[in-house]
């Protein structure tokens, strides 16, 4: 976790990533077939968790400039996924205390999100190691 | 849930809201005191859920233009809160399967988020009714 405020390039990259990610989320929700069950938000939170996991795993092996990692992680993945909609939907649908809704939406979102982030992290690390070893191979 | 793609004014408002919300989230995380426990993300997800709940409750009483509600809801609250960081942090910290971490971070985030969204929704509706009745009072 980076605990200092980044330079302008980082802030610009975060802003651009946030715009792209949020408009992508909005487009998916607009295109999602009408249903009381928020499939769109579920898909966004799952795929965004996989992507952030993969990026984190990759950048743990392959160091990139801060504006690239912050723009893709904090900006793109942060804007693309949403927590407020996840919990507000449960209130909006008047089912905040419904065990069925929690079992069918909240719980799979969380458990799936962790699993996708974990799988993404492992995949990202593997890709990073592969690219690094092929780079080292070229140097020999 | 709006299932059609909005006009340019809506897309622009979402993009602007997303930038603001995401930079605000980044600033809070940068300022949050260094700790293994993600206090910053917890605070953002709780307060963003309260805000989206309040906006949703208020707009249920008080109809506003679509660019305003989408810019504040989809854009600002969506960019300000994050789901991918919530689940990726558990993987990053190598504690995805730790019951302690789930009990100390994931569960309070979810339960608190729902409670804050619910309280915000009730508060937003109350404010909307108050404003509407004072408006009607002036018309008499």
């Amino acid at each position: 976790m980076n605990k200092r405020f980044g330079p302008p390039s980082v802030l610009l990259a975060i802003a651009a990533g946030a715009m792209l990610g949020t408009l992508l989320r909005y487009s998916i929700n607009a295109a999602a077939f009408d249903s009381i069950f928020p499939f769109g938000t579920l898909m966004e939170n799952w795929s965004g968790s996989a992507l952030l996991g993969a990026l984190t795993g990759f950048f743990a092996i392959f160091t990139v400039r801060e504006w690239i990692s912050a723009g893709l992680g904090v900006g793109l993945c942060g804007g693309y996924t949403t927590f407020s909609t996840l919990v507000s939907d449960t209130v909006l649908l008047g089912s905040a205390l419904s065990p069925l809704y929690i079992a069918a939406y909240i719980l799979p979102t969380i458990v799936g999100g962790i699993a996708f982030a974990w799988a993404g992290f492992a995949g990202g690390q593997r890709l990073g190691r592969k690219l690094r070893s092929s780079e080292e191979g070229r140097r020999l």
Side-chain angles (χ1 to χ4, degrees), chain A:
Chain A
M1 274 167 280
N2 172 40
K3 293 290 181 191
R4 62 168 192 80
F5 205 71
S9 63
V10 170
L11 302 183
L12 273 173
I14 289 175
M19 282 202 305
L20 277 177
T22 305
L23 288 173
L24 184 59
R25 171 163 50 86
Y26 175 72
S27 308
I28 291 173
N29 279 351
F33 61 95
D34 229 329
S35 157
I36 191 107
F37 190 87
F39 282 110
T41 304
L42 180 68
M43 290 303 124
E44 290 143 22
N45 279 337
W46 275 357
S47 56
S49 300
L51 181 61
L52 184 60
L55 289 170
T56 309
F58 186 76
F59 295 150
I61 310 286
F62 239 83
T63 311
V64 295
R65 288 186 192 162
E66 195 187 349
W67 68 267
I68 297 177
S69 60
L72 291 173
V74 180
L76 188 76
C77 293
Y80 177 58
T81 63
T82 176
F83 180 78
S84 50
T85 307
L86 169 69
V87 298
S88 286
D89 272 352
T90 71
V91 176
L92 264 182
L93 297 170
S95 53
L97 300 171
S98 155
L100 185 72
Y101 198 76
I102 290 168
Y105 179 46
I106 304 278
L107 209 63
T109 299
I110 301 293
V111 175
I114 292 176
F116 278 113
W118 183 83
F121 188 77
Q125 278 193 311
R126 213 166 23 240
L127 183 68
R129 280 196 206 98
K130 213 170 156 183
L131 284 181
R132 199 168 62 175
S133 68
S134 81
E135 230 178 32
E136 280 161 0
R138 271 203 298 277
R139 274 195 219 124
L140 296 178

